[in-house]
Amino acid sequence: IDKYDNLTAVVGQGVPPSPTGWIRIIDVSDASNPQGIGFLELGAGARSVDIQENTAFIGFAEGLGIVDISNPSAPSLINQVDTGEGVHTVIVRDNIAYAGDQSAGLVILDVSDLYHPQLLSVTPLPYPAKDFDLYGDTLYIAAWEAMLTVNISNPENPVIEETIPVNGDANGISVQGGQILLADYYGMHIYSFQ
């Protein structure tokens, strides 16, 4: 799920009206009465979404999907990028997409041309990425048995700086106010940083 302005995008898989992957666009301008206004079947299990203005970037079983949501009632697939085994998580900043592929690791693409994304780098990770958050030039990754920090100041040559073991299946991460919030099988952990 992700929100931009008055629109929220939800992705999922295997629930009617689509037995495969999908994205649903919801108008939340009236929070007490959200309205589903758009739907697009993706053909593969959708796992994550990041909205950047009129574009939804979707991590799904076939890679990275790029969906035009400029007409929220009729979202349309612009492009699909095969990243390997499937993207669990995606985050986009300044026309750079960071995708956590199940087998390839961290896949970084220049998406300034949505119709022709350019591969910048592929960095193997010790564990599959489940969730990302960005803070400055650092990408924080919840990756099954660890939390990873990756310096992305040069997207063509990212550097894994830290691998911090965790007790369980790390699957969610958020960085805010000098803290890293990490969710895993056993609950939430809070780390401080400067």
Side-chain angles (χ1 to χ4, degrees):
I1 188 167
D2 196 21
K3 182 177 184 296
Y4 180 81
D5 202 20
N6 287 322
L7 295 179
T8 295
V10 178
V11 296
Q13 60 189 12
V15 178
S18 170
T20 60
W22 47 265
I23 179 172
R24 179 172 299 283
I25 308 298
I26 302 167
D27 182 343
V28 293
S29 56
D30 179 357
S32 65
N33 188 26
Q35 298 291 312
I37 57 173
F39 180 85
L40 176 65
E41 188 169 323
L42 298 170
R47 301 171 177 152
S48 63
V49 62
D50 188 29
I51 300 174
Q52 299 291 310
E53 296 184 15
N54 292 321
T55 307
F57 295 87
I58 300 170
F60 68 115
E62 295 176 359
L64 178 66
I66 302 172
V67 175
D68 181 352
I69 59 170
S70 59
N71 177 357
S73 62
S76 62
L77 186 65
I78 295 174
N79 206 334
Q80 178 179 319
V81 180
D82 181 4
T83 58
E85 195 173 305
V87 173
H88 273 280
T89 184
V90 61
I91 193 166
V92 179
R93 293 294 179 269
D94 301 324
N95 291 316
I96 304 293
Y98 304 89
D101 184 82
Q102 180 73 21
S103 61
L106 173 60
V107 178
I108 302 179
L109 300 137
D110 180 337
V111 292
S112 53
D113 179 349
L114 299 174
Y115 294 93
H116 303 98
Q118 298 297 310
L119 179 66
L120 296 178
S121 62
V122 177
T123 303
L125 299 175
Y127 307 102
K130 294 288 200 96
D131 194 21
F132 288 157
D133 203 0
L134 273 171
Y135 185 84
D137 286 335
T138 303
L139 181 66
Y140 293 84
I141 304 175
W144 283 11
E145 297 180 23
M147 176 181 67
L148 309 174
T149 62
V150 180
N151 182 316
I152 53 159
S153 57
N154 178 358
E156 294 180 18
N157 188 28
V159 176
I160 298 173
E161 293 183 329
E162 288 185 277
T163 301
I164 301 167
V166 297
N167 292 330
D169 180 12
N171 55 37
I173 195 162
S174 179
V175 180
Q176 50 188 298
Q179 294 182 323
I180 304 164
L181 310 174
L182 179 74
D184 69 14
Y185 181 78
Y186 297 102
M188 184 176 73
H189 308 276
I190 301 172
Y191 301 87
S192 296
F193 72 97
Q194 296 179 352

